[in-house]
Amino acid sequence: MPKETPGRVRRLRAAMAREGFDAIVAFKPQNSFYMSGFNPIIYSHPVVAILTPEGSDALLVHALRDDHAREASFIADIRLYGAWSTKKTMGPSWRAALKTILAERGIEKGRIGLDLDFISVARFREIEAELAGAEFADASDAIMQCRSVKDEDEIENARAAGEIADIGMDAAILALRKGGNEREISLASMAAMSHCWADRYPDKEVADFGNLEHGIQNGMFAWVLSGDRMFLNCDNPTTKTPQKGETAAILLWSVLDGIHTENERTVMIGDVSQEKRRALEAILEIRSEVFDMIRPGTLYSDLFNAAKTGLETRGYGSYIPGRIGHSMGLGAHEWPSIDAATNIPLAPGMILAIEPNIRIPGEVATQISDTVLVTDEGCEFLTKSEGGLLQA
Amino acid sequence: MPKETPGRVRRLRAAMAREGFDAIVAFKPQNSFYMSGFNPIIYSHPVVAILTPEGSDALLVHALRDDHAREASFIADIRLYGAWSTKKTMGPSWRAALKTILAERGIEKGRIGLDLDFISVARFREIEAELAGAEFADASDAIMQCRSVKDEDEIENARAAGEIADIGMDAAILALRKGGNEREISLASMAAMSHCWADRYPDKEVADFGNLEHGIQNGMFAWVLSGDRMFLNCDNPTTKTPQKGETAAILLWSVLDGIHTENERTVMIGDVSQEKRRALEAILEIRSEVFDMIRPGTLYSDLFNAAKTGLETRGYGSYIPGRIGHSMGLGAHEWPSIDAATNIPLAPGMILAIEPNIRIPGEVATQISDTVLVTDEGCEFLTKSEGGLLQA
């Protein structure tokens, strides 16, 4: 049964026509999934999505991925390279197969948009050698701009991923209150998220986009940094048990059909210093000021500057972070960033992780983040965990 | 306390001298970890490892990663770019910082080896523009060759990862026997592996190497393909319960301090057809023939050809796979592959996943894999799960 081409692909096709590309040929796992609906999980054999302005799209995969691609992709024209059992393929080389696919469409010497923010120099040289006469342009910006505004099905996945992340946060806080160490808290949270997916979402996947040397079967991740370990910002959880007087950060990502949410909370363990409490209270106020500004037309940099001003007016002007959040989608850290230099207006359908925080080296660290959807009038919280001053 | 530079870095330094590089500058997460011991988990800000023939190595990271890099890396000279709180950095641009680091060493116009199998075209163009006058060469092969032979600490990690994978397989088979569906079996296996790590390996990490839009906190993965779903080769587990008369594949990867093992088993559920049983018996014999050939000097292609001959002589000559395994290490699918074209001799310290299997479309599929270490005399099994004809 042919599957419907999603709106995002039609938008990307329009962008391609505006840019004067005869095709977009994408290799980045997030991008080939975006353009085809196929995530093979393992990318050690290239997966190549080919989009043309008039819709003669094709998906080129290794013979090993044939059945899976046919089952998952909304592109009907699946092509094979390589060798496996009885599969009929276009030959051993994906480069030669790509050339044939483009030649069939009369564009083997056309203007080809590639995701050059991903394609390695070594691979690009192979493509150039195979497609002598073609003109290559960078399609990365066009793809990332398209990805930055989500379709309704992506938003539904984000809402569900947010609910799963909230369940993960509840499980983490429970494990923390029971006296678990960083690893025990993290594993309890990941198990809760995974079981929620397994029980409630029979038609969804939690696979993620790996690198070219392996793959990710399950992108539900939680980690915990307690006490001074908060200054590491990101680290694998240890056997350290959060202690009284410390703050602990619980950080988690959930994913559903490729769409991510982020949920981070800082918990005070028993009585913490006035300095720590005051920083947490300041961050809660600053977050509220930033959330109030989220609506179509506000610039990413406006959000950063509001947080910066909020830190300055509360005496934290020496501790300004480089950014106060980032976009989310098929990437958990997706373009664009919320920083001083990003003068891009918010638009409905964008999904952001909002995380202004304070780091006073060796003294105070806060880590709170929520994922929100930009709506016509403001924002919708996709993560809704208990906020405020969390106490364990 | 300065940490010792591992033998692999000294070997890479020697290779660098042979190649006439004035430095190797690596961006690929696996490579920068290999050369520095630092895995930031999140790579959305570049991590750049700089190795020089005389040992004036440096690690360039975003300000946010300062504390973590200092804690984890065996490179003493940690440099910062970007802005975060009170961190003193070399400026906003990692490119300018890299140029300064090379200029301090008098090699900003030298011959720089880059991992061009990873660095994107867009990033390479930025590097070229910043380092006008330098000569760039591809260091990918030198790095991958060095990575292909493991150091003793890497082998120890692989042994432990193999034990964890065996525990994951036991948990999966138990869950299958209890009547679990694909997801339940997978989650039981991942939980068993993660808890084994959490309890037994306080000083080890299970973080993996993500892509540039996110990170992997836990690389313990299991998946199950039952019945006809085995022909998908890799897919996220579903709510399907394996049925009597089917075979089911259980596939899993474990990781410890970056080093991976793979363990895959095929289980017959109740009575399966004679055709399925015969294929499994044939594969067990062929595996045994391949294992007997593993010793220093045997070519990768010899192993492939032995499996091919084994399939042919047993009447499976129409179903030859493209490869019968691959190397393992910081990548779960690492170079080189075990295929007809790879005429590289085995050497002690190499780690391989050996997986000759049969696919008769719509009829029969086997999936069995073990991870082995090449030793001076033969091979050592790193995964040791119950083999033979597994019955549930």
Side-chain angles (χ1 to χ4, degrees), chain B residues 164-207:
Chain B
I164 292 174
D166 290 349
I167 286 168
M169 186 58 74
D170 289 348
I173 289 170
L174 183 66
L176 190 154
R177 288 193 167 131
K178 282 182 175 171
N181 68 30
E182 289 184 355
R183 289 184 180 180
E184 289 161 346
I185 298 166
S186 302
L187 294 183
S189 176
M190 291 195 284
M193 290 194 283
S194 287
H195 283 285
C196 177
W197 157 69
D199 295 341
R200 294 190 200 172
Y201 296 97
D203 300 324
K204 299 289 180 182
E205 296 203 341
V206 292

Side-chain angles (χ1 to χ4, degrees), chain A residues 91-108:
Chain A
S93 157
W94 60 264
R95 295 174 291 279
L98 174 60
K99 184 178 184 179
T100 301
I101 292 168
L102 295 177
E104 287 170 2
R105 287 149 180 78
I107 52 175
E108 80 277 19

Side-chain angles (χ1 to χ4, degrees), chain A residues 28 44 64 68 85 116 119 122 147 183 201 204 206 209 211 213 217 233-234 236 320 333 359, chain B residues 28 44 64 68 85 116 121-122 147 183 201 204 206 209 211 213 217 233-236 320 333 359:
Chain A
K28 191 183 200 174
S44 42
L64 194 60
H68 193 190
S85 184
L116 295 181
I119 296 173
R147 279 176 53 188
R183 289 183 179 180
Y201 297 97
K204 299 288 178 182
V206 292
F209 306 102
N211 62 54
E213 296 195 27
Q217 275 287 347
N233 297 311
C234 184
N236 218 216
I320 306 298
H333 279 197
R359 291 278 179 287
Chain B
K28 191 183 199 175
S44 42
L64 195 59
H68 192 192
S85 184
L116 295 182
V121 175
R147 280 176 52 187
R183 289 184 180 180
Y201 296 97
K204 299 289 180 182
V206 292
F209 306 102
N211 63 53
E213 297 195 24
Q217 275 286 347
N233 297 312
C234 183
D235 190 24
N236 218 215
I320 306 298
H333 280 198
R359 292 277 179 288

Side-chain angles (χ1 to χ4, degrees), chain B residues 347-360:
Chain B
M350 289 179 168
I351 296 180
L352 310 174
I354 304 287
E355 46 178 338
N357 280 297
I358 295 174
R359 292 277 179 288
I360 305 177

Side-chain angles (χ1 to χ4, degrees), chain A residues 7-294:
Chain A
R8 52 192 169 276
V9 175
R10 295 195 299 271
R11 286 190 289 117
L12 185 57
R13 221 186 286 290
M16 176 169 26
R18 281 196 303 275
E19 301 274 344
F21 297 148
D22 293 310
I24 289 180
V25 176
F27 288 76
K28 191 183 200 174
Q30 290 89 342
N31 294 348
S32 57
F33 173 77
Y34 191 74
M35 288 160 51
S36 74
F38 176 53
N39 175 5
I41 306 177
I42 298 174
Y43 285 90
S44 42
H45 300 289
V47 172
V48 191
I50 300 125
L51 230 71
T52 68
E54 73 283 1
S56 57
D57 305 340
L59 180 65
L60 176 62
V61 300
H62 190 275
L64 194 60
R65 307 288 169 225
D66 182 32
D67 295 28
H68 193 190
R70 283 178 203 285
E71 184 183 274
S73 180
F74 51 75
I75 293 179
D77 189 7
I78 308 286
R79 302 297 185 90
L80 306 182
Y81 66 88
W84 213 276
S85 184
T86 58
K87 293 291 180 190
K88 303 261 182 295
T89 78
M90 297 174 75
S93 157
W94 60 264
R95 295 174 291 279
L98 174 60
K99 184 178 184 179
T100 301
I101 292 168
L102 295 177
E104 287 170 2
R105 287 149 180 78
I107 52 175
E108 80 277 19
K109 292 186 190 300
R111 187 159 185 265
I112 310 297
L114 298 170
D115 42 5
L116 295 181
D117 65 344
F118 173 78
I119 296 173
S120 73
V121 174
R123 179 161 291 172
F124 182 62
R125 287 174 181 168
E126 294 175 324
I127 296 169
E128 275 187 319
E130 188 77 36
L131 294 171
E135 178 195 346
F136 299 104
D138 193 351
S140 307
D141 287 354
I143 297 171
M144 293 311 291
Q145 278 167 27
C146 195
R147 279 176 53 188
S148 71
V149 176
K150 273 64 182 174
D151 279 349
E152 195 49 49
D153 62 326
E154 296 181 297
I155 291 168
E156 279 308 310
N157 287 332
R159 285 196 181 103
E163 285 176 22
I164 292 174
D166 290 349
I167 285 167
M169 185 58 73
D170 288 348
I173 290 170
L174 184 66
L176 190 153
R177 290 196 166 127
K178 282 183 176 170
N181 69 29
E182 290 184 355
R183 289 183 179 180
E184 290 161 346
I185 298 166
S186 301
L187 294 183
S189 176
M190 291 195 284
M193 291 194 284
S194 287
H195 283 285
C196 177
W197 157 69
D199 295 341
R200 294 192 199 170
Y201 297 97
D203 300 325
K204 299 288 178 182
E205 297 203 342
V206 292
D208 213 319
F209 306 102
N211 62 54
L212 302 187
E213 296 195 27
H214 77 352
I216 305 175
Q217 275 287 347
N218 189 318
M220 304 292 194
F221 294 126
W223 63 108
V224 176
L225 300 163
S226 61
D228 282 348
R229 283 178 33 78
M230 284 185 72
F231 297 104
L232 301 184
N233 297 311
C234 184
D235 190 25
N236 218 216
T238 67
T239 54
K240 176 182 183 302
T241 301
Q243 300 296 309
K244 283 196 176 160
E246 289 181 345
T247 49
I250 299 165
L251 306 97
L252 47 94
W253 286 335
S254 63
V255 64
L256 216 61
D257 277 2
I259 300 290
H260 296 80
T261 64
E262 172 175 302
N263 182 340
E264 300 175 358
R265 291 290 181 270
T266 300
V267 182
M268 299 181 290
I269 322 288
D271 289 332
V272 303
S273 68
Q274 277 306 311
E275 215 180 351
K276 288 187 170 72
R277 179 179 284 270
R278 187 177 154 259
L280 276 164
E281 284 168 352
I283 279 303
L284 292 173
E285 290 168 15
I286 291 167
R287 279 167 49 89
S288 168
E289 290 162 14
V290 171
F291 287 129
D292 284 347
M293 293 178 63
I294 299 178

